[in-house]
Amino acid sequence: MLKQRVITALILLAILLPALFYTGSSTPFAVLMLIFMAAGAWEWGRLNGFGQMGSLVVGGVCTVLCAASWWAGWLQQPLGAFGMLWVIAGGMWVLGGGLLLRAGVAGWPHIPAAVRLVGGVLALWVAWMAVVQARNVGINFLLSMLVLVWVADVFAYFAGRTFGLKFTKNKLAPTVSPGKSWEGVWGGMLGVIALALLWVWADRHYGAGVPSFYSVLQSRGTWFLLLAVVFMAAMSVVGDLVESLIKRSVGVKDSSGLLPGHGGVLDRIDALLPTLPLAMMLSSFVHP
């Protein structure tokens, strides 16, 4: 299994990195992300009880939404151009994520099927819009957003394994994801705080041509930066827990087997789905 995971990860990096760092335009990256989101929408159809053909239609609808946005020129707009979109998407993630986790695994089937289906496709579309527009702002800006989620996950894992249940008596969400602890969440938050401060220093020290997400936030003050990254770390946990809740509700371990050793696309991007539009929302507050 470990060998399979490593091979899959290396293949993904070999595909992702050239597209990400391609200097001619952001088109290769946008196309690659569109493929990932379409695959995620196909998985979403399956999680909602659709067969192969129905799931392909769901993936096609997501593809059309992304392509239409691209054709309309929305991706080339300045950073704050879609502030209202990011606010609505971010608000839906904060409120909807909280309500879903409060309702628990048993609450998912009571949501109307149409609402579940449309909500998932729109979440994937908005995430695609956010990640591609972030790439158009600059590689430093985009990478700082992505690394935040990865650092939060890594620090949460090691903090949870080291300190789990040593300071609290209850796990974070035992019926949704039994392995997660509050200590892990706090460790992830400390990790992203350290990351943000280090990245801001690096931007200044090396004279970054394009500011990172953290430097954008820092322009409103260190207090705003620290609050924002802690909030982002918390929402990355919400994204992870929401997908775990849905999988438990439908009785599957992985969203699919598209990525051998890693599960499906949704398993890899669950924490990014809320954090990408929220990062754009916070950035638009600074640069409206």
Side-chain angles (χ1 to χ4, degrees):
M1 177 63 74
L2 177 60
K3 182 178 180 181
Q4 192 178 51
R5 289 175 65 90
V6 171
I7 292 173
T8 301
L10 290 175
I11 292 173
L12 289 174
L13 286 174
I15 297 172
L16 175 62
L17 293 181
L20 175 62
F21 290 100
Y22 182 71
T23 57
S25 72
S26 63
T27 298
F29 180 76
V31 170
L32 182 60
M33 290 301 100
L34 193 153
I35 293 171
F36 273 109
M37 295 305 175
W42 171 77
E43 293 176 352
W44 187 247
R46 287 163 54 90
L47 289 175
N48 281 274
F50 283 76
Q52 181 69 6
M53 184 56 65
S55 298
L56 287 173
V57 171
V58 175
V61 170
C62 183
T63 302
V64 169
L65 275 175
C66 296
S69 306
W70 199 348
W71 177 80
W74 291 0
L75 303 179
Q76 304 303 323
Q77 298 299 314
L79 182 60
F82 296 102
M84 187 54 64
L85 173 63
W86 310 132
V87 168
I88 293 172
M92 291 299 294
W93 266 110
V94 172
L95 294 176
L99 290 173
L100 278 174
L101 294 177
R102 182 173 182 178
V105 175
W108 179 249
H110 296 292
I111 301 174
V115 173
R116 285 182 279 152
L117 184 65
V118 172
V121 171
L122 290 178
L124 289 162
W125 167 66
V126 170
W128 179 81
M129 285 274 294
V131 76
V132 177
Q133 192 180 46
R135 171 61 179 80
N136 287 336
V137 172
I139 294 175
N140 188 35
F141 181 76
L142 172 60
L143 274 179
S144 60
M145 291 165 55
L146 299 178
V147 173
L148 182 148
V149 173
W150 301 333
V151 166
D153 189 48
V154 170
F155 272 72
Y157 174 79
F158 285 106
R161 285 183 63 90
T162 305
F163 302 109
L165 298 183
K166 289 187 177 180
F167 301 102
T168 58
K169 296 181 179 180
N170 300 317
K171 290 194 173 183
L172 177 63
T175 62
V176 175
S177 186
K180 286 185 170 54
S181 65
W182 284 104
E183 289 83 353
V185 174
W186 300 335
M189 290 177 175
L190 289 175
V192 299
I193 288 174
L195 172 73
L197 295 175
L198 180 61
W199 210 306
V200 168
W201 172 85
D203 280 352
R204 291 175 179 173
H205 184 75
Y206 294 104
V210 175
S212 66
F213 171 57
Y214 311 114
S215 291
V216 170
L217 298 177
Q218 173 70 25
S219 65
R220 278 289 179 97
T222 302
W223 67 271
F224 186 78
L225 168 67
L226 297 180
L227 286 177
V229 297
V230 167
F231 169 66
M232 291 283 288
M235 289 307 299
S236 73
V237 176
V238 170
D240 191 353
L241 289 176
V242 165
E243 202 229 359
S244 296
L245 180 151
I246 294 168
K247 289 189 296 184
R248 282 189 176 275
S249 179
V250 300
V252 298
K253 181 181 178 181
D254 298 318
S255 58
S256 79
L258 286 178
L259 305 175
H262 292 267
V265 172
L266 292 177
D267 296 322
R268 297 300 93 204
I269 66 171
D270 51 7
L272 289 169
L273 292 178
T275 54
L276 286 170
L278 284 167
M280 299 302 288
M281 180 191 76
L282 291 169
S283 299
S284 68
F285 288 164
V286 178
H287 293 288

